Amino acid sequence: MGRRVRALGPILALVVVAAGGCTDAPTQSEAAWEPVPLPGPGRVVTLTGTPEGLLVGRYDEDARERASLHELRADGSSGQVEMDTLWEWAGREAELSSVASGPTGTVALGGHRAGAHGNVRWTVWSGDRRRVVEQPQPFETFGGWDAGGLTGVAISRPGPMILGSRVSASKQGLDVAVWQPRGERWVMAPRPGSTLRATADRQPSPGAVAALPDGYLAVGWVTELEPSIRDVAVAWTARSPGGPWREIGLPAEGAGIARAGAVACAADHCVVAGRRDDDVMVWRVPLTDGAPGEASTATTVATGALRTQSPTLAVVAGRVDTAAYGEGETTRVVRLAAEPGATHLPGRLVAMAAEPSGAVVLATTDGSGTSRAWRSTR
C-alpha cells in the first residue's frame, strides 16, 4: 500500500452549517451573493474558470444537439463556443460532465446512457475557447465491457488527461485509470502507477482531478480490506499522466468512511472537499514550486450533513476558499475565510467555479430543471 503522509500544518477554522429549508433567495449573508445571468439555453451542467472568464456548459433536451458551451467574459460580454459534433448518436445526445481549459487547449467530456445494458457512451470534444471538435471514440476506448466510469478532465502544461476507472488486469477490482490523447484517439496510460492499482487488500476509487502548473492532482479514496473494511481519503499527484503517481494521505482520524470528491487549485494551494462519515470535510494541500505538500488537518464544514452515499460537492481555491454541498433542494455554501460564513441557496447544487476577479459563481437547478446562478460579492 502507498505510504500515507503524516498530517501537518495549521488547523483551519471550524464551521458548522445549520440545516435549512428551500427558499427563493439566500437565507443567510444575503449581501455576499447576488443572482447572475449565465448565457445559453437549457440547464447548466458545468462551470469552468478561465483566465478570461467562465465557460458555461448546458444541456437542452429540446435541441437537436443538446450540449452547448458559452463563454461569459470578464467584461460581461458572452459568446458561444462552436461545438462541431460528429457522432450523430452519442455526440448529439451527450450531457457534458466535465470541461477543462488550460495552456494546451480546451477539452469537454460528455456521455449518454443508452442501449440494452444502459452503458454510458462517452465522447470528447477538443479545441480552444472558440471551437471544439468532437473526437468520437470506439466503445473499447474507455474500457468497453471492463469500463468503470469517467470522473473528469484536467489540462496542464504536459497536456490534457481524463481520470476514471476500469477493471484491473488482475481482475482484483477497479484500477484508477488515466487516459491521454494520441492524435484523435484517447489511450490509457500504460503505467499509471502502483498506487492507482487494485490489489487483494486495497481498492482505489477516483473522485475528481485538477491541474497543477506542471502536473495534476487527483483525489478519491482507497477501500482498505484488511484488517477491517474502511475508506481512506487520499490524493494522487504526478507530473505527467503516465506517472509516476505519488499518494498523499488526507487525514480523517477515526473515520470508517473518508472520501474525497472535489478538488480545485490556486497558485499556492489546493482545496479538497469530501466526507468523513456523515460530515462534510475540507482539506488544504499547500503547493511549493507547483508540487503538493502534506495535507493539513481537515476542517469540518457541516456536522451530520450527508444523507446519501454520493453527495454533490464543489470547491473553489483562491482568494477565499469556498466549499458547497447539496442536500435535497438546498445548496449550502461555506466561505473559509478568517470569519467564515454560511449561505443557503435555493436549488440543487450543480457546479461552482471562480472568475478571473476571484469572485465565485455557483449554479443550482430546481425540480423542474430550471437553472439559477449566483455570484459572490465579497
Side-chain angles (χ1 to χ4, degrees):
M1 177 178 178
R3 180 176 64 89
R4 292 197 299 274
V5 178
R6 180 170 58 91
L8 295 175
I11 298 177
L12 300 179
L14 173 68
V15 185
V16 179
V17 183
C22 180
T23 61
D24 291 331
T27 59
Q28 299 179 26
S29 306
E30 288 87 347
W33 296 86
E34 63 180 7
V36 56
L38 297 180
R43 56 183 172 86
V44 176
V45 291
T46 63
L47 293 175
T48 305
T50 74
E52 284 74 36
L54 197 68
L55 288 177
V56 181
R58 287 186 178 263
Y59 180 81
D60 185 355
E61 62 182 12
D62 296 324
R64 183 171 180 268
E65 296 184 2
R66 300 183 178 184
S68 67
L69 270 176
H70 291 75
E71 184 174 32
L72 178 62
R73 305 182 187 95
D75 62 4
S77 65
S78 63
Q80 185 168 0
V81 179
E82 181 183 351
M83 296 189 72
D84 192 348
T85 297
L86 306 178
W87 196 1
E88 292 188 1
W89 180 53
R92 290 179 179 174
E93 300 285 335
E95 178 175 329
L96 297 177
S97 60
S98 181
V99 177
S101 189
T104 58
T106 297
V107 173
L109 174 67
H112 176 62
R113 189 180 296 278
H117 299 281
N119 294 315
V120 176
R121 295 303 300 267
W122 296 100
T123 192
V124 185
W125 288 263
S126 295
D128 53 35
R129 291 195 299 275
R130 295 182 297 276
R131 178 175 180 259
V132 291
V133 179
E134 189 182 15
Q135 299 170 310
Q137 303 297 306
F139 178 64
E140 294 77 15
T141 294
F142 298 117
W145 298 114
D146 290 333
L150 299 184
T151 301
V153 60
I155 300 179
S156 183
R157 289 192 186 96
M161 61 158 275
I162 292 174
L163 181 74
S165 60
R166 64 164 296 163
V167 175
S168 67
S170 64
K171 306 299 181 183
Q172 291 180 314
L174 293 173
D175 290 341
V176 174
V178 174
W179 288 265
Q180 56 192 129
R182 182 180 296 165
E184 296 297 309
R185 288 283 178 261
W186 286 74
V187 297
M188 193 169 67
R191 297 182 60 83
S194 61
T195 60
L196 304 184
R197 295 175 187 158
T199 68
D201 58 6
R202 72 190 308 262
Q203 169 67 68
S205 299
V209 63
L212 302 174
D214 289 294
Y216 312 88
L217 185 71
V219 301
W221 63 94
V222 171
T223 301
E224 296 182 347
L225 304 177
E226 296 292 344
S228 61
I229 298 176
R230 66 170 186 152
D231 289 342
V232 179
V234 299
W236 299 283
T237 182
R239 291 287 187 180
S240 69
W245 288 84
R246 177 173 67 95
E247 187 170 289
I248 302 171
L250 300 177
E253 295 299 326
I257 297 175
R259 298 178 176 180
V263 60
C265 295
D268 62 346
H269 73 285
C270 297
V271 177
V272 182
R275 63 180 295 188
R276 179 190 183 279
D277 294 332
D278 290 331
D279 297 337
V280 175
M281 307 294 288
V282 171
W283 294 267
R284 192 178 193 274
V285 180
L287 299 176
T288 302
D289 296 328
E294 299 173 344
S296 65
T297 302
T299 301
T300 302
V301 299
T303 302
L306 297 175
R307 297 179 183 175
T308 66
Q309 291 298 307
S310 301
T312 302
L313 298 166
V315 67
V316 167
R319 185 178 62 197
V320 180
D321 296 338
T322 305
Y325 71 98
E327 186 181 48
E329 291 300 313
T330 301
T331 294
R332 289 157 175 81
V333 191
V334 180
R335 310 199 73 202
L336 303 173
E339 297 181 0
T343 301
H344 300 168
L345 298 175
R348 177 176 55 83
L349 173 65
V350 173
M352 187 167 65
E355 295 181 307
S357 66
V360 175
V361 175
L362 182 147
T364 66
T365 186
D366 61 22
S368 67
T370 301
S371 294
R372 301 178 68 179
W374 315 86
R375 177 186 283 127
S376 61
T377 59
R378 64 169 184 262

